[in-house]
Amino acid sequence: MLEARAGFACAAVGGCVIVAGGRNIFVSRLPSAEVTVYDEATGVWRRLPCEMPRAMLFMGSALP
């Protein structure tokens, strides 16, 4: 990831890993509204031009 985070939500979709919310565990420990995506084909992480709603920052994730 672009920054170490805890308490984030994560999903694998179409060869990409999307990580949203959580908090930066090394810098401010404040909630992060950033959404980042890892593209498996290019091997690159990038920020998406959107933010998580504050109420969902520590929603976590689950697998079916």
Side-chain angles (χ1 to χ4, degrees):
M1 291 188 288
L2 296 172
E3 63 181 29
R5 288 194 232 174
F8 56 85
C10 183
V13 180
C16 293
V17 176
I18 301 169
V19 176
R23 65 180 171 85
N24 185 314
I25 61 174
F26 293 116
V27 180
S28 63
R29 296 185 182 255
L30 294 174
S32 172
E34 287 186 352
V35 180
T36 56
V37 63
Y38 176 75
D39 185 346
E40 187 177 64
T42 62
V44 174
W45 281 96
R46 60 186 169 91
R47 284 188 174 86
L48 295 181
C50 62
E51 290 189 350
M52 293 286 297
R54 281 276 192 229
M56 299 177 73
L57 291 181
F58 291 105
M59 68 180 179
S61 60
L63 296 174

